[in-house]
Every structure is written in C-alpha cells, then in structure tokens.
Amino acid sequence: MTTTLFDKLNWRYATKKMDPSKPVPQDKVDQIVEAVRMAPTSSGTQPFHLFVITNPETRAEIRKVAWDQAQITDGSHLLVFAAWDNYTAERIDNVVEQMEDERGKSETLSGYYDNLKNAYLPRAEDVNYNHAARQAYIGLGFALAAAAELEVDSTPMEGFDPEAVDAILGLREKGLRSVVLLPLGYRQEEGDWLVKMKKVRKPREEFVTQVA
C-alpha cells in the first residue's frame, strides 16, 4: 500500500529515546539537509546556517547545556540551526551577487534589494535577528517533514542555553546565534514513554477558521 506524507507525519513524534547503536545513513542525512537548503526564506536571503554535528565530544558538551536531553548524544547526528545575528549590507549584497551570477543582472532585482536594505538596515539588531530566526524555523519544518518521509526520528528542541551553545560552536565570532536543535536517530521503543501514545492535535473545527 502506498504511503503518503500525511501517513509519515502521523508516524513521526518527538522521539524521547533514541538507539545509539543505529546511526542514520549518510544519504538520508544528506536528503534532510538538502530539504533545509531548499526551504523558502524571506526575499531568498537564507539568513541562517545549518551545522551538522556528529563529533561525540561536541554533542556531549551541548547536552550539558540542553537540560541533559539524551537524544543529543544517543542520536547519530545533531542539527543546529543558527540565525544571522543581524542583516548587513554585505550579507544582502552577497545574496544579490549570487542571484545575478545565476539569473543575470536586472534593475528590478537590484532595486528590490536596495529597498530591502533601506528597510532592514536601520532596524535594531534584535529585530533583525528575530526575523532571521523565524526563517530558520521554516527550515526546521522542512527538516522535520523530510525526516518523517525518510522514517528518520527527530526531536526539535528549544530547551537549551543559546549563549552556551554559541560559545561551544564559536557562533558569535561568525555573526550567528543558535535558534533550535534537531537530533536525528532511530527510536528505541523499550525506553521511550511516548512511543505508543496516540498523537493528539486540536480538531479541525477548533483549529481552523475559514474566511470566505
């Protein structure tokens, strides 16, 4: 029987216990990473960076500042979504340069991004960081869907000390700030209290309002 994306989304859950003896194959990790790379972002800026961490020592250090959540070390890969700390003229110009290289120069294109700089650059740094962080969450959504499609378990995490993770990965020096973590692995059912529980979501009539 053919399964659909909706079947896979019903299959996935926030895995609480991962099996450290079952690493995710590299080809599946690559597909998840590519889904993040292909995710849409505001004005095509892609204002975040994705770290794929397999180093055991680094993951152990991150676990210490992430409420001791075992999936970080029991999974085989840890994705860290790190947003730009600010929008700058250089960063936006780099976006324009790549677009011009691949699409050709255009007054419409350059005018659009000139207007973008006029709107973004005067704003406070935190306003711009928060905007960039929201784009990172779009990438997170694509990663979750891609992992489910590939039957790879994942657990999105905001429960960590961002400043500590920034220090471990040297993010501030790169003009980045950590936003969200996503361990990847395979569920270990005998140690996971959530695995057999029914997925609970609000009914459509409470969750959706149709405006015709």
Side-chain angles (χ1 to χ4, degrees):
M1 184 177 67
T2 302
T3 58
T4 68
L5 176 60
F6 295 103
D7 294 324
K8 297 297 180 67
L9 293 178
N10 192 59
W11 168 86
R12 76 152 303 277
Y13 72 108
T15 308
K16 301 306 179 186
K17 176 62 177 174
M18 291 183 176
D19 187 343
S21 71
K22 294 181 179 178
V24 180
Q26 188 60 45
D27 67 308
K28 290 192 174 185
V29 176
D30 290 342
Q31 290 178 72
I32 294 166
V33 169
E34 183 65 5
V36 177
R37 192 180 73 88
M38 295 298 292
T41 56
S42 180
S43 299
T45 51
Q46 292 183 282
F48 65 94
H49 192 84
L50 183 67
F51 291 82
V52 182
I53 303 173
T54 56
N55 181 278
E57 291 78 16
T58 302
R59 289 188 289 132
E61 288 300 306
I62 292 175
R63 176 174 171 173
K64 292 175 185 177
V65 297
W67 299 0
D68 195 35
Q69 295 178 86
Q71 303 96 314
I72 293 171
T73 52
D74 288 345
S76 59
H77 295 73
L78 175 66
L79 305 188
V80 178
F81 293 76
W84 290 355
D85 58 3
N86 200 359
Y87 288 100
T88 65
E90 181 182 9
R91 280 171 159 167
I92 295 174
D93 287 343
N94 287 339
V95 172
V96 176
E97 182 179 349
Q98 181 185 5
M99 289 193 175
E100 289 180 341
D101 287 345
E102 298 192 24
R103 295 178 176 175
K105 292 191 176 183
S106 159
E107 288 186 9
T108 300
L109 185 70
S110 59
Y112 177 88
Y113 284 97
D114 284 342
N115 289 335
L116 195 73
K117 286 192 283 189
N118 290 335
Y120 285 10
L121 300 188
R123 300 191 308 197
E125 180 177 327
D126 269 357
V127 172
N128 282 336
Y129 161 71
N130 287 326
H131 183 269
R134 290 194 293 272
Q135 310 314 304
Y137 273 98
I138 298 173
L140 172 68
F142 273 59
L144 290 168
E149 182 73 21
L150 296 165
E151 293 194 348
V152 172
D153 286 299
S154 62
T155 309
M157 295 178 174
E158 287 186 314
F160 66 97
D161 181 341
E163 291 187 3
V165 171
D166 293 351
I168 291 167
L169 298 178
L171 297 185
R172 295 302 177 102
E173 295 87 343
K174 300 178 176 72
L176 299 169
R177 294 168 61 179
S178 55
V179 176
V180 64
L181 311 179
L182 186 67
L184 302 175
Y186 290 107
R187 63 190 68 175
Q188 190 173 70
E189 295 194 5
E190 63 271 20
D192 193 335
W193 58 268
L194 189 57
V195 66
K196 298 296 184 183
M197 291 191 179
K198 179 182 178 182
K199 187 181 292 292
V200 178
R201 296 292 187 269
K202 293 179 181 179
R204 181 184 172 94
E205 58 270 20
E206 292 182 15
F207 185 70
V208 177
T209 297
Q210 186 77 34
V211 181

